[in-house]
Amino acid sequence: MKKDVEQLSRRGRQTVKIPGYAISRWLVVLIGITLFLAVSTHVLQKTILNSQFVIAQATKSDYVNEATTTVNNVVADLASSNGVPTTMTTNLVTTKQVKEDLAEIVENVYAGKANAIDNQKIKQQISQNIAVKAQNAGISTSNEEFTAVQTALLGSVDSYIDQTIQDRYLDKATAAINKADSVNKLVFWISIITAFILAIILIFHDRSLLRWMHYMGLSALWSGALMAALAFIASNSGFFAQIAERADQASGLVENLLELSAASFQNAGLLLMLGGVFGVIIGIFRRKS
């Protein structure tokens, strides 16, 4: 009788099927890919595809001072070519105005507005500043000669903004950012939904929560390691500096934005790895069948 019970017990254990490792390993690879894409697109959405992130960097004193110098040099050249005395061509735009304008331009670009620069606002700033300089120099702002020169200068500023800045740079930047943002959001949601479906398949296949956590941990571990490694390599390879060189005057800002984004990628990868290690450790206690 005792032998019969032992035989039945042995046969019962033999009928319990252990989930196949091959399918689980393939799911580890696929889930890792979806996690990599989901986290990467999320980081992009919070960094270079986020207007507030860019504004916070673009309005720092170093970049604002650099932009103010560039703007005033351009305006001074336009003023000189329109007969404005050199005594009134210096610092026609203040640092405070440039900072406000930069924030507004970035916000408009990311919002997808057709004309990111408010021409009227900038012309009004220049008009008021040059009028103050004229008064300080003892020049009447009501005479026809001053009015004609001022009108010519503002017309040149208007043309420069439209033809040089808006058409050459901002229109392209607006189109590129909006396209990138749309693609990024699409990839994010596809990755999230796919990862969820694959995770459901994995738990049904393994039929064990601890086994499921083990494989989910492996997925997070390898995808996080890859993300952190790629971010580290990009940050230390000089790749960002090469890209930033194409931005001309804004090269310093662009390089800084890329470096900060890479740091966010690296941190996200490390957090993903940490979650993966936790899942693997918990999975060690899964029952061996």
Side-chain angles (χ1 to χ4, degrees), residues 2-15:
K2 185 176 181 181
K3 289 183 178 180
D4 292 339
V5 172
E6 290 178 352
Q7 288 177 354
L8 287 173
S9 178
R10 192 180 300 112
R11 289 174 184 174
R13 288 196 298 270
Q14 290 173 351
T15 58

Side-chain angles (χ1 to χ4, degrees), residues 44-208:
L44 286 173
Q45 200 64 45
K46 294 297 182 181
T47 54
I48 58 176
L49 292 179
N50 186 303
S51 61
Q52 296 307 311
F53 173 81
V54 176
I55 288 172
Q57 299 304 315
T59 54
K60 286 186 175 180
S61 58
D62 290 345
Y63 303 121
V64 171
N65 291 336
E66 183 180 352
T68 302
T69 300
T70 301
V71 169
N72 277 316
N73 287 339
V74 171
V75 175
D77 289 340
L78 294 174
S80 298
S81 63
N82 283 279
V84 178
T86 54
T87 55
M88 294 189 297
T89 59
T90 56
N91 300 325
L92 289 177
V93 181
T94 66
T95 302
K96 181 181 178 181
Q97 290 170 337
V98 170
K99 183 176 182 178
E100 292 175 354
D101 293 339
L102 278 174
E104 185 177 345
I105 290 168
V106 172
E107 191 69 46
N108 290 339
V109 166
Y110 277 78
K113 291 187 177 181
N115 296 307
I117 299 181
D118 187 346
N119 291 26
Q120 294 302 319
K121 180 180 178 181
I122 292 178
K123 289 192 297 182
Q124 184 179 13
Q125 292 170 349
I126 294 173
S127 177
Q128 290 174 347
N129 292 348
I130 198 172
V132 170
K133 286 182 177 292
Q135 291 171 355
N136 292 337
I139 300 173
S140 174
T141 57
S142 59
N143 64 60
E144 294 182 359
E145 183 178 356
F146 175 82
T147 302
V149 170
Q150 185 184 49
T151 301
L153 170 60
L154 297 179
S156 296
V157 170
D158 203 28
S159 298
Y160 183 86
I161 290 173
D162 288 338
Q163 297 174 11
T164 304
I165 301 178
Q166 189 68 53
D167 292 346
R168 187 179 299 179
Y169 298 108
L170 295 184
D171 285 346
K172 294 178 181 179
T174 301
I177 289 172
N178 278 269
K179 184 177 180 179
D181 185 58
S182 299
V183 173
N184 191 74
K185 287 178 179 177
L186 179 63
V187 173
F188 173 77
W189 285 112
I190 290 176
S191 302
I192 288 291
I193 293 170
T194 305
F196 178 77
I197 293 172
L198 292 173
I200 294 296
I201 293 173
L202 180 64
I203 197 169
F204 273 106
H205 174 263
D206 287 331
R207 301 189 299 276
S208 167

